Amino acid sequence: MRFMDINLQKKFAAGLSIFSNAVIILLKLIAGFLSGSISIISEAIHSLSDMFASVLTYFSVIRSSEPADKEHPFGHGRYEDMSGFIEGVLIILAAFYIIFEAGKKLLFGQYEDFEPVLGIYVMLFAVVANFAVSSFLFKTAKKSGSIALLADAEHLRTDFFSSFGVLSGLVLIKITGIQILDPIIALLVAALILRAGFSITKTALNNLLDGSLPDKDVELIENIVNEFKSKGVIKYKTIKSRQVGACKDVEMTLIFPSDMTILACHTICDEVEEKLHKEFGNTNVVIHAEPDCKRCARV
């Protein structure tokens, strides 16, 4: 029942992100084209990439929440990782487009006077909306372990900071009348977007290529195993880990005394699994038990 509740929360969060992005994009495009501000238009492009990302997240969350089947016996978690990777690429492309447009204005002096008042109101709304929605997405992503929702939350949080930067710049333009600030702000926005895009892409690609969990998680797994030495575990032979969508996969080989019964080994393995589930949440754990026997080790 708890699993179903989490999936419903994930779907609602993804849907809310799509709706908020749609409203913000519309307002930014209207304000940007009416004023001719490249910084506002760059923010609209940024939000548009977030919109595509939110749509990808929504469908990947729906797909990844489906149970394992004959065609996908290990589940559908990779849909979230693939979504996160595509989202990161979209953000990077959006950033390069903004750099191109802002650079053209700076190099060729193609900036012009505009009235920033409308943009100030629109960006203020975007700042408040992005902060509220991204905070909800971060909370849901942490609870569910969804990489797709986390990527979407990172997008919106980046949009929050960039929107705040554009808002501050528009206020400065209104006060000082220095129009060249507009493309400069757009370039700063692009730099912020690039950083987020590369970070998200790196994380998603690591998961797609079955990269290990972060060092702190691996260390925690090792510490948990070591806690059971007093109950009979001699040592661990191997520990493998990876992230698949919202789920962590952990495989390990534990060495037990050669005279310990299968039942005793199985009981300890169950306790190790329970401890890992408690620490990491949605986790698949596979434990192979081996006796501490030189003859068996050679085999």
Side-chain angles (χ1 to χ4, degrees):
M1 181 66 180
R2 180 181 298 177
F3 179 71
M4 291 299 295
D5 290 341
I6 286 294
N7 281 329
L8 287 174
Q9 290 179 38
K10 288 165 65 178
K11 292 174 185 178
F12 175 78
L16 178 63
S17 178
I18 293 174
F19 175 77
S20 67
N21 270 318
V23 173
I24 291 173
I25 289 168
L26 182 61
L27 292 175
K28 286 179 178 179
L29 285 174
I30 292 173
F33 284 113
L34 287 179
S35 65
S37 168
I38 183 61
S39 61
I40 299 178
I41 293 175
S42 70
E43 266 301 291
I45 295 170
H46 183 195
S47 296
L48 188 61
S49 71
D50 284 347
M51 177 69 172
F52 286 131
S54 297
V55 172
L56 282 171
T57 298
Y58 182 77
F59 287 107
S60 70
V61 163
I62 291 176
R63 186 63 170 154
S64 66
S65 63
E66 296 178 0
D69 53 33
K70 184 177 180 180
E71 289 75 22
H72 301 86
F74 293 99
H76 301 82
R78 290 294 187 205
Y79 279 93
E80 290 202 30
D81 296 318
M82 180 60 71
S83 171
F85 179 75
I86 295 173
E87 290 171 30
V89 172
L90 285 174
I91 289 179
I92 292 171
L93 292 176
F96 279 121
Y97 177 76
I98 294 169
I99 291 172
F100 173 76
E101 290 295 331
K104 187 168 63 176
K105 282 184 174 289
L106 280 174
L107 292 175
F108 301 104
Q110 296 179 0
Y111 46 86
E112 54 192 36
D113 293 343
F114 68 93
E115 178 51 56
V117 174
L118 177 60
I120 290 174
Y121 285 120
V122 169
M123 299 313 298
L124 180 61
F125 173 78
V127 165
V128 175
N130 283 324
F131 179 79
V133 177
S134 65
S135 296
F136 178 71
L137 260 63
F138 270 119
K139 182 179 179 181
T140 307
K142 182 178 180 181
K143 185 185 299 184
S144 64
S146 170
I147 182 64
L149 276 182
L150 179 62
D152 204 19
E154 290 285 2
H155 295 170
L156 290 180
R157 183 56 56 89
T158 303
D159 208 1
F160 162 77
F161 286 115
S162 59
S163 294
F164 183 79
V166 172
L167 173 63
S168 302
L170 292 173
V171 172
L172 282 175
I173 292 172
K174 178 65 177 177
I175 295 173
T176 65
I178 303 176
Q179 303 294 327
I180 197 175
L181 287 173
D182 187 47
I184 292 176
I185 294 168
L187 288 175
L188 294 176
V189 170
L192 192 62
I193 297 172
L194 269 179
R195 180 181 178 185
F198 282 119
S199 175
I200 293 168
T201 303
K202 180 181 177 181
T203 300
L205 189 60
N206 179 72
N207 292 348
L208 287 170
L209 297 177
D210 285 337
S212 179
L213 292 176
D215 290 341
K216 62 181 181 63
D217 289 344
V218 175
E219 184 178 354
L220 179 56
I221 294 171
E222 293 173 348
N223 291 337
I224 289 174
V225 172
N226 289 331
E227 289 177 9
F228 287 86
K229 286 185 175 180
S230 60
K231 295 187 176 183
V233 175
I234 296 177
K235 63 180 180 178
Y236 61 85
K237 186 176 179 181
T238 58
I239 292 180
K240 299 178 182 179
S241 62
R242 64 178 181 175
Q243 182 84 29
V244 181
C247 182
K248 293 178 175 63
D249 284 351
V250 179
E251 297 182 11
M252 64 179 70
T253 299
L254 301 183
I255 307 299
F256 292 91
S258 58
D259 58 350
M260 182 175 283
T261 66
I262 295 176
L263 177 60
C265 292
H266 180 73
T267 300
I268 294 174
C269 289
D270 282 346
E271 292 178 2
V272 173
E273 288 185 33
E274 184 179 352
K275 181 73 172 180
L276 289 171
H277 284 299
K278 184 178 180 180
E279 290 292 339
F280 293 105
N282 188 7
T283 310
N284 289 324
V285 182
V286 177
I287 302 178
H288 174 66
E290 287 188 1
D292 183 28
C293 167
K294 292 183 178 180
R295 182 181 63 81
C296 294
R298 285 197 300 270
V299 174

